[in-house]
Amino acid sequence: MQDALTTLNWLVEAGADEVIGDAPVNRLQAKAPTIPMPAKQAAPVFTPAPGKVPAAPQSDTVGDAQALAATATSLADLKTAIENFEGCALKRTATNTVFADGTPTGRVMFIGEAPGRDEDRMGKPFVGRAGQLLDKMLASIGLDRTRNVYITNVINWRPPDNRDPTPEEAAQCLPFLRRHIELANPQVIVLLGAVAGRHVMGISDGIMKSRGRWMEYRVGDRMVPIMPTLHPAYMLRQPAHKKLAWRDLQSVAARMESLGLPELFSQGN
Ligand code: URA
């Protein structure tokens, strides 16, 4: 029994946490020979009734996302727009749409990659182990999601087995993220990990090269300082690299200081 539990734990931690059938499948067992299907039993071909030809598939899902995102004039509108968007296949396998967590008026925005298993279940970003580490990282520079920091992801739905989002999936979610940034109007943005760096800033260098470097992101007529750093999930696997993230966070704290953000926080704004 204990062995079964250990194996199950290992599978869940490895991301194999979706049940795809009622009966277990022994993939080690020799396969029965495949019996060729007689021609008369070939799969039926679907022929639409005259006048009932199905509409051509709506393929401009990125255009649809752009149009929908542009209609949002508040964060609440945007959340509804994303929840109503059917153009990203990830939504079909996800339990919840994951929009954001924290304090939108906080002026500091952290952007991760995509929801994982816990985030998918709870409908909030960074609530699992990586989220707990993120909270510690934030606390080390006086940030706290309940008071002064806003958190979201590039992707709003969990990719199956926590795989990287495809470029197509990212392109379908990016119009929403761009509008999200405009509406939250942060003064400082931190990108967590290579995937966020790639999709938000087009960074093709590895995260080890790009981390800690300040860049600028245009929001309307403002340029907002933006910096990639290491993803907390990566640091759970490579704890020795926490010191690099700590350096980056100190740079974020210095930037916040130069913008007068800590004073704003202490005034309860
Ligand atoms: N990793 C992310 O990038 N985002 C989350 O919300 C959780 C884990």
Side-chain angles (χ1 to χ4, degrees):
M1 181 65 181
Q2 193 53 36
D3 271 352
L5 277 179
T6 313
T7 310
L8 193 59
N9 258 338
W10 184 88
L11 284 172
V12 170
E13 277 168 17
D17 55 0
E18 310 279 343
V19 178
I20 56 166
D22 291 337
V25 178
N26 183 352
R27 297 189 193 283
L28 299 176
Q29 204 166 44
K31 283 206 175 115
T34 326
I35 301 163
M37 197 188 264
K40 63 177 181 183
Q41 287 180 19
V45 176
F46 171 65
T47 315
K52 297 225 167 136
V53 178
Q58 179 50 269
S59 59
D60 188 12
T61 48
V62 177
D64 292 348
Q66 282 164 343
L68 204 52
T71 61
T73 55
S74 67
L75 291 171
D77 274 0
L78 184 66
K79 182 169 186 280
T80 308
I82 298 173
E83 284 166 351
N84 290 337
F85 181 61
E86 301 296 338
C88 181
L90 292 177
K91 186 176 183 185
R92 280 170 234 142
T93 49
T95 308
N96 279 300
T97 297
V98 177
F99 181 63
D101 195 26
T103 311
T105 51
R107 320 312 307 279
V108 184
M109 189 164 182
F110 277 64
I111 303 175
E113 174 183 334
R117 180 170 53 109
D118 297 317
E119 290 75 20
D120 181 47
R121 256 193 219 144
M122 313 260 302
K124 277 190 184 175
F126 285 102
V127 291
R129 278 181 73 222
Q132 285 156 20
L133 178 56
L134 177 62
D135 284 340
K136 287 187 195 151
M137 292 162 60
L138 296 175
S140 72
I141 54 167
L143 293 174
D144 174 341
R145 63 171 101 188
T146 65
R147 289 191 303 118
N148 52 23
V149 65
Y150 191 51
I151 304 171
T152 189
N153 282 313
V154 175
I155 305 289
N156 299 102
W157 298 278
R158 180 194 184 197
D161 300 331
N162 298 341
R163 63 161 169 74
D164 274 1
T166 64
E168 190 189 13
E169 289 156 357
Q172 288 156 343
C173 291
L174 271 174
F176 296 114
L177 178 67
R178 297 203 184 287
R179 189 71 187 130
H180 204 158
I181 297 173
E182 279 168 18
L183 292 168
N185 198 21
Q187 296 211 22
V188 175
I189 304 174
V190 180
L191 299 173
L192 295 166
V195 170
R198 185 179 326 133
H199 295 301
V200 179
M201 294 303 288
I203 299 169
S204 53
D205 285 347
I207 188 70
M208 281 302 172
K209 256 193 173 174
S210 59
R211 57 148 278 276
R213 286 211 316 248
W214 284 104
M215 291 173 279
E216 288 188 317
Y217 181 93
R218 177 180 288 282
V219 179
D221 55 5
R222 263 184 344 110
M223 296 309 278
V224 180
I226 184 165
M227 181 217 265
T229 189
L230 302 180
H231 195 289
Y234 171 77
M235 283 177 288
L236 288 173
R237 298 191 300 271
Q238 301 284 338
H241 286 156
K242 282 183 186 167
K243 58 179 183 295
L244 300 177
W246 170 235
R247 265 185 233 156
D248 299 347
L249 287 171
Q250 298 217 294
S251 178
V252 173
R255 188 54 78 109
M256 286 169 16
E257 183 85 37
S258 73
L259 294 168
L261 290 177
E263 288 80 38
L264 281 179
F265 299 157
S266 60
Q267 289 158 20
N269 290 317

mmCIF file of all heavy atoms in Angstrom, residues 39-55:
data_model
loop_
_atom_site.group_PDB
_atom_site.id
_atom_site.type_symbol
_atom_site.label_atom_id
_atom_site.label_comp_id
_atom_site.label_asym_id
_atom_site.label_seq_id
_atom_site.Cartn_x
_atom_site.Cartn_y
_atom_site.Cartn_z
ATOM 1 N N ALA A 39 -12.597 -3.866 -45.118
ATOM 2 C CA ALA A 39 -12.930 -2.610 -45.786
ATOM 3 C C ALA A 39 -14.337 -2.143 -45.455
ATOM 4 O O ALA A 39 -14.585 -0.984 -45.231
ATOM 5 C CB ALA A 39 -12.767 -2.772 -47.282
ATOM 6 N N LYS A 40 -15.304 -3.109 -45.342
ATOM 7 C CA LYS A 40 -16.701 -2.667 -45.144
ATOM 8 C C LYS A 40 -16.921 -2.053 -43.762
ATOM 9 O O LYS A 40 -17.911 -1.406 -43.524
ATOM 10 C CB LYS A 40 -17.684 -3.785 -45.436
ATOM 11 C CG LYS A 40 -17.573 -4.974 -44.556
ATOM 12 C CD LYS A 40 -18.670 -5.967 -44.924
ATOM 13 C CE LYS A 40 -18.533 -7.119 -44.009
ATOM 14 N NZ LYS A 40 -19.007 -8.186 -43.783
ATOM 15 N N GLN A 41 -15.929 -2.284 -42.804
ATOM 16 C CA GLN A 41 -16.104 -1.672 -41.494
ATOM 17 C C GLN A 41 -15.305 -0.376 -41.340
ATOM 18 O O GLN A 41 -15.057 0.086 -40.253
ATOM 19 C CB GLN A 41 -15.632 -2.630 -40.404
ATOM 20 C CG GLN A 41 -16.578 -3.791 -40.207
ATOM 21 C CD GLN A 41 -16.068 -4.713 -39.120
ATOM 22 O OE1 GLN A 41 -15.245 -4.323 -38.306
ATOM 23 N NE2 GLN A 41 -16.550 -5.919 -39.119
ATOM 24 N N ALA A 42 -14.863 0.171 -42.460
ATOM 25 C CA ALA A 42 -14.053 1.396 -42.369
ATOM 26 C C ALA A 42 -14.846 2.494 -41.663
ATOM 27 O O ALA A 42 -16.075 2.482 -41.660
ATOM 28 C CB ALA A 42 -13.679 1.858 -43.770
ATOM 29 N N ALA A 43 -14.098 3.415 -41.011
ATOM 30 C CA ALA A 43 -14.754 4.485 -40.247
ATOM 31 C C ALA A 43 -15.707 5.275 -41.125
ATOM 32 O O ALA A 43 -15.405 5.526 -42.293
ATOM 33 C CB ALA A 43 -13.682 5.414 -39.694
ATOM 34 N N PRO A 44 -16.881 5.605 -40.582
ATOM 35 C CA PRO A 44 -17.847 6.341 -41.404
ATOM 36 C C PRO A 44 -17.328 7.732 -41.752
ATOM 37 O O PRO A 44 -16.606 8.336 -40.991
ATOM 38 C CB PRO A 44 -19.084 6.450 -40.499
ATOM 39 C CG PRO A 44 -18.590 6.209 -39.123
ATOM 40 C CD PRO A 44 -17.353 5.379 -39.233
ATOM 41 N N VAL A 45 -17.693 8.171 -42.931
ATOM 42 C CA VAL A 45 -17.278 9.511 -43.356
ATOM 43 C C VAL A 45 -18.453 10.442 -43.107
ATOM 44 O O VAL A 45 -19.582 10.116 -43.458
ATOM 45 C CB VAL A 45 -16.919 9.504 -44.862
ATOM 46 C CG1 VAL A 45 -16.591 10.894 -45.354
ATOM 47 C CG2 VAL A 45 -15.774 8.545 -45.109
ATOM 48 N N PHE A 46 -18.202 11.573 -42.455
ATOM 49 C CA PHE A 46 -19.281 12.521 -42.163
ATOM 50 C C PHE A 46 -19.548 13.392 -43.374
ATOM 51 O O PHE A 46 -18.663 14.043 -43.902
ATOM 52 C CB PHE A 46 -18.882 13.377 -40.957
ATOM 53 C CG PHE A 46 -19.831 14.507 -40.712
ATOM 54 C CD1 PHE A 46 -21.140 14.260 -40.344
ATOM 55 C CD2 PHE A 46 -19.414 15.820 -40.872
ATOM 56 C CE1 PHE A 46 -22.014 15.302 -40.111
ATOM 57 C CE2 PHE A 46 -20.287 16.859 -40.651
ATOM 58 C CZ PHE A 46 -21.595 16.612 -40.271
ATOM 59 N N THR A 47 -20.776 13.332 -43.862
ATOM 60 C CA THR A 47 -21.157 14.200 -44.988
ATOM 61 C C THR A 47 -22.255 15.127 -44.502
ATOM 62 O O THR A 47 -23.319 14.650 -44.098
ATOM 63 C CB THR A 47 -21.704 13.367 -46.155
ATOM 64 O OG1 THR A 47 -20.842 12.255 -46.344
ATOM 65 C CG2 THR A 47 -21.800 14.177 -47.430
ATOM 66 N N PRO A 48 -22.025 16.428 -44.492
ATOM 67 C CA PRO A 48 -23.071 17.328 -44.007
ATOM 68 C C PRO A 48 -24.298 17.293 -44.900
ATOM 69 O O PRO A 48 -24.180 17.119 -46.110
ATOM 70 C CB PRO A 48 -22.406 18.712 -44.041
ATOM 71 C CG PRO A 48 -21.173 18.560 -44.841
ATOM 72 C CD PRO A 48 -20.851 17.112 -44.963
ATOM 73 N N ALA A 49 -25.471 17.399 -44.281
ATOM 74 C CA ALA A 49 -26.712 17.449 -45.056
ATOM 75 C C ALA A 49 -26.687 18.691 -45.932
ATOM 76 O O ALA A 49 -26.089 19.696 -45.549
ATOM 77 C CB ALA A 49 -27.886 17.512 -44.091
ATOM 78 N N PRO A 50 -27.339 18.621 -47.127
ATOM 79 C CA PRO A 50 -27.314 19.798 -47.999
ATOM 80 C C PRO A 50 -27.819 21.018 -47.234
ATOM 81 O O PRO A 50 -28.775 20.945 -46.481
ATOM 82 C CB PRO A 50 -28.284 19.420 -49.133
ATOM 83 C CG PRO A 50 -28.492 17.954 -49.020
ATOM 84 C CD PRO A 50 -28.136 17.532 -47.637
ATOM 85 N N GLY A 51 -27.122 22.154 -47.436
ATOM 86 C CA GLY A 51 -27.547 23.394 -46.757
ATOM 87 C C GLY A 51 -27.064 23.483 -45.329
ATOM 88 O O GLY A 51 -27.320 24.441 -44.635
ATOM 89 N N LYS A 52 -26.407 22.402 -44.824
ATOM 90 C CA LYS A 52 -25.952 22.437 -43.426
ATOM 91 C C LYS A 52 -24.436 22.280 -43.371
ATOM 92 O O LYS A 52 -23.904 21.566 -42.536
ATOM 93 C CB LYS A 52 -26.602 21.319 -42.632
ATOM 94 C CG LYS A 52 -28.088 21.420 -42.539
ATOM 95 C CD LYS A 52 -28.538 21.153 -41.118
ATOM 96 C CE LYS A 52 -29.972 21.561 -40.939
ATOM 97 N NZ LYS A 52 -30.768 20.640 -40.235
ATOM 98 N N VAL A 53 -23.742 22.899 -44.290
ATOM 99 C CA VAL A 53 -22.285 22.804 -44.301
ATOM 100 C C VAL A 53 -21.756 23.554 -43.076
ATOM 101 O O VAL A 53 -22.148 24.695 -42.848
ATOM 102 C CB VAL A 53 -21.718 23.433 -45.593
ATOM 103 C CG1 VAL A 53 -20.206 23.384 -45.607
ATOM 104 C CG2 VAL A 53 -22.296 22.706 -46.796
ATOM 105 N N PRO A 54 -20.932 22.896 -42.245
ATOM 106 C CA PRO A 54 -20.447 23.609 -41.056
ATOM 107 C C PRO A 54 -19.597 24.813 -41.445
ATOM 108 O O PRO A 54 -18.931 24.788 -42.476
ATOM 109 C CB PRO A 54 -19.598 22.569 -40.318
ATOM 110 C CG PRO A 54 -19.574 21.350 -41.152
ATOM 111 C CD PRO A 54 -20.391 21.567 -42.387
ATOM 112 N N ALA A 55 -19.643 25.838 -40.610
ATOM 113 C CA ALA A 55 -18.862 27.051 -40.886
ATOM 114 C C ALA A 55 -17.382 26.705 -40.902
ATOM 115 O O ALA A 55 -16.947 25.795 -40.199
ATOM 116 C CB ALA A 55 -19.149 28.076 -39.806
#
